[in-house]
DNA sequence: CTGTTAGCGCGTTCAT
DNA sequence: ATGAACGCGCTAACAG
């Protein structure tokens, strides 16, 4: 592996000159540029990123922590971040936490040790206080999908409650009065907030709301299917169901089909996230749009600005979900 | 940011000793370990990865190039690689090529400059020769989803032809004689190989095969829908259709539904990949399993071994796809 | 415009 | 068991 020294010797100039042409310094003679360029090609020289980082104290690297890249939700998020990072000449270090607090902590520390100046962190398991400490240590750290009041200007989050409220309200506007809810049993804020949104909508419309109308499960298809089955077993006069997310809605759909209950004819159902599968479900799923793309883009921009010590305020920190009407909800 | 020097001073030892306890050298006295550990905590010392990489010539970083992380196919691939990388204490640098040859080239060079010793590359746009050069330069470079004879021991690929052959043969075994094919118009090997597999199966079974039975489109839902529509317009006596991938199959399903052609009753359809959406489609899609998880795992292991200069031969380089029978194919 | 020189933070001989 | 000193490859003064 050739170094600046080798190139300098080959081109008959000093290493300083080599460094200058590498970094496109304005004050280098044409001949020098020519000689160095040729030498670099001949030796197939590659600048050593570690050495550069060591002296310039910048790795041009952005760290991203997600729960699981194989989930298209996070895939979409990473893609959006990648787009802005690439524009700014940054590279992406990525890590999955799989919802483990330990992994979340280790990853953030790793990112710091690696010298990532910009960090976009999706953390659901770490305590607020710990995140606040990290945020204080790293100016470029931005939290996504989570809101912590003490560091509000470092958070890009979704109004989960409003999302569920919107979904439930939409069901109500369609004439439904007995509305069930399929809830995630994952102990994170999102689950509580979405459930609260459902409850609030019922209450605001003076409709019955009882724990009896709610069932819990893992936040995936299987959990949704089981929860739906349990709900069905109660023999409640439900005509519609709101769900924690699209995967659970998909599971509910399966359970309904297995029991010959036509959707939306005899049961309306609404999802949450507007994930990849929503449009492929049958019937195509009416759901709530989680604007993760635009949120991720904003988080990336914010992180980069902050890391660059620029004063910067994003216009929106708390994003509002919207309704995506497809075919799984009927008027009664 | 504290350095070894600061820690050394705080602990009243030399930087060499500090370095030793950091790297768990066996010959350090208990007292020294204690003193240094305390000092590190007090100063909240973090080893500088760049400095370490510079001197030890190892970044413990693995580079991954994919086409698009937001596609669950690649998400799954990245996750599988992440699992083995994490086990070995490696971190992941990830980049998307979005199918651009330029981006593919730049990314590989970036990875090299960054000092990634292990590389798992999904490249469809670069010429074989260029990839061979890179492979010769970087011992730890492994190609995934592509086979280049000259560097066969550095490739983990799928037998695409056999996959399509399997799919078409399955249709034939179910009594279908007029089988159409929805092909990707993306100019990459996979498209040619899969089409060839379809053709070969028809030929081996003495069935009609003509370009008239084939339609092309972009390799996504929209392309599948359009291709299906064109196929339908020809008024052929088809009873079954093989497709380039699950997304195109999904589009075909939509077109079929729009035209009131029941699947699988009046038309059988088979996908390719067994991607995330296959199980959510209606009817659940019969398809061909692309074992990307196990392939990615093997690629990661191979890459790490190679980077480590260990002699290593994976048992399987060319993986064979298998059938996943669901509900979109009927016997005639 | 160009060359010399001094570190950046750390691992590693080589003495002790 | 420990410390002094060197060098990894590069950038950034500084002096010419």
């Amino acid at each position: 592996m050739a170094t600046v020294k080798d190139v300098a010797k080959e081109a008959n100039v000093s290493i300083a000159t080599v460094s200058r042409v590498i970094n496109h310094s304005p004050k280098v003679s044409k001949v020098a540029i020519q000689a160095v360029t040729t030498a670099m090609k001949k030796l197939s020289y590659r600048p050593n990123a570690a050495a550069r980082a060591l002296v310039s104290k910048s790795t041009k690297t952005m760290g991203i922590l997600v729960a699981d890249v194989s989930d298209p939700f996070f895939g979409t998020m990473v893609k959006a971040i990648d787009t802005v990072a690439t524009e700014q000449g940054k590279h992406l270090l990525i890590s999955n936490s799989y919802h483990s607090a330990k992994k979340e902590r280790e990853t953030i520390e790793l990112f710091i040790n690696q010298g990532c100046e910009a960090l976009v962190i999706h953390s659901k398991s770490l305590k607020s206080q710990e995140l606040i400490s990290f945020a204080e240590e790293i100016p470029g750290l931005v939290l996504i999908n989570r809101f912590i009041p003490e560091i509000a200007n470092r958070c890009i989050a979704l109004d989960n409650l409003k999302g569920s409220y919107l979904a439930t309200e939409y069901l109500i506007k369609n004439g439904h009065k007995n509305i069930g809810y399929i809830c995630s049993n994952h102990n994170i804020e999102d689950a509580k907030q979405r459930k609260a949104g459902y409850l609030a909508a019922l209450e605001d419309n003076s409709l019955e709301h009882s724990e009896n109308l709610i069932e819990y499960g893992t936040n995936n298809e299987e959990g949704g299917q089981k929860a739906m089955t349990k709900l069905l077993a109660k023999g409640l006069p439900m005509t519609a169901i709101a769900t924690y997310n699209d995967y659970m809605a998909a599971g509910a759909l399966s359970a309904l089909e297995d029991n010959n209950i036509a959707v939306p004819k005899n049961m309306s159902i609404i999802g949450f996230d507007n994930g990849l599968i929503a449009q492929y479900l049958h019937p195509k799923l009416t759901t709530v749009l989680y604007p993760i793309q635009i949120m991720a883009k904003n988080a990336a921009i914010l992180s980069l600005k902050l890391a660059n010590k620029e004063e910067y305020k994003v216009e929106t920190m708390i994003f509002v979900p919207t309704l995506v009407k497809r075919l799984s909800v009927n008027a009664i």
Side-chain angles (χ1 to χ4, degrees), chain A residues 121-140:
Chain A
I121 304 297
H122 168 97
S123 165
K124 295 287 181 186
S125 305
L126 249 28
K127 300 253 167 60
S128 293
Q129 194 45 57
E130 194 162 355
L131 257 7
I132 293 172
S133 300
F134 279 131
E136 281 165 352
E137 180 178 355
I138 310 298

Side-chain angles (χ1 to χ4, degrees), chain A residues 5-274:
Chain A
K5 204 182 256 176
D6 302 324
V7 176
K9 195 176 296 175
E10 176 73 28
N12 279 316
V13 294
S14 73
I15 61 167
T17 300
V18 174
S19 177
R20 288 191 185 98
V21 347
I22 292 174
N23 298 296
H24 303 100
S25 160
K27 28 189 177 180
V28 191
S29 66
K30 303 273 182 196
V31 281
I33 293 182
Q34 183 54 46
V36 172
T37 308
T38 316
M40 291 200 302
K41 271 214 186 90
K42 179 172 175 194
L43 304 177
S44 56
Y45 166 80
R46 297 180 187 289
N48 179 315
R52 278 185 137 166
L54 182 58
V55 48
S56 64
K57 280 158 177 356
S58 165
T59 58
K60 303 181 56 161
T61 299
M62 184 166 196
I64 305 189
L65 172 63
V66 296
D68 183 350
V69 268
S70 71
D71 183 333
F73 175 83
F74 292 110
T76 302
M77 182 180 133
V78 171
K79 177 175 181 174
I81 295 174
D82 177 58
T83 303
V84 353
T86 300
E87 276 173 9
Q88 314 261 334
K90 306 293 182 197
H91 324 125
L92 261 42
L93 213 43
I94 296 188
S95 195
N96 302 100
S97 72
Y98 304 121
H99 300 107
S100 142
K102 180 160 172 285
K103 193 74 200 300
E104 289 182 0
R105 179 181 309 113
E106 288 175 353
T107 296
I108 296 176
E109 292 191 320
L110 167 73
F111 286 162
I112 297 177
N113 294 355
Q114 290 291 318
C116 298
E117 35 250 0
L119 255 42
V120 176
I121 304 297
H122 168 97
S123 165
K124 295 287 181 186
S125 305
L126 249 28
K127 300 253 167 60
S128 293
Q129 194 45 57
E130 194 162 355
L131 257 7
I132 293 172
S133 300
F134 279 131
E136 281 165 352
E137 180 178 355
I138 310 298
L141 186 154
V142 167
L143 255 32
I144 187 163
N145 305 330
R146 177 156 175 173
F147 181 74
I148 299 179
E150 291 91 331
I151 48 173
N153 59 332
R154 308 281 282 281
C155 301
I156 301 279
L158 182 79
D159 191 337
N160 277 295
L161 194 150
K162 179 169 286 186
S164 262
Y165 190 99
L166 235 44
T168 311
E169 191 181 48
Y170 178 63
L171 259 16
I172 297 171
K173 281 184 180 160
N174 273 276
H176 296 280
K177 298 198 184 313
N178 292 284
I179 304 172
Y181 186 67
I182 290 181
C183 191
S184 163
N185 61 13
H186 192 184
N187 184 27
I188 61 176
E189 283 208 333
D190 306 47
K192 293 178 208 161
Q193 294 169 347
R194 293 184 190 181
K195 178 180 166 186
Y198 154 78
L199 255 17
L202 291 188
E203 195 151 329
D204 288 357
N205 288 276
S206 314
L207 290 180
E208 180 204 352
H209 60 282
S210 86
E211 268 294 326
N212 204 31
L213 282 162
I214 304 176
E215 274 299 340
Y216 301 78
T218 52
N219 59 358
N220 52 27
E221 193 187 4
E222 191 190 346
Q225 178 153 12
K226 288 184 179 169
M228 185 72 248
T229 304
K230 286 192 272 183
L231 227 34
L232 250 23
K234 295 182 187 172
L236 269 17
M238 290 182 313
T239 61
I241 294 159
T243 61
Y244 173 71
N245 69 11
D246 296 340
Y247 289 111
M248 294 193 86
L253 246 24
S254 293
L256 257 10
E257 185 174 3
D258 290 348
N259 287 279
N260 292 313
I261 298 176
V263 176
K265 190 157 178 280
N266 298 320
M267 184 74 81
S268 285
I269 187 158
I270 189 163
F272 200 117
D273 280 352
N274 190 35

Side-chain angles (χ1 to χ4, degrees), chain A residues 296-331:
Chain A
K297 178 180 172 183
N298 273 272
I301 292 175
L302 176 60
S303 171
L304 256 11
K305 295 275 189 192
L306 255 26
N308 209 23
K309 268 123 186 85
E310 295 178 39
E311 275 302 323
Y312 189 70
K313 269 231 170 263
V314 207
E315 46 314 337
T316 316
M317 310 298 291
I318 307 290
F319 282 75
V320 179
T322 51
L323 229 38
V324 177
K325 299 177 188 175
R326 293 205 182 88
L327 307 173
S328 64
V329 173
N330 244 18

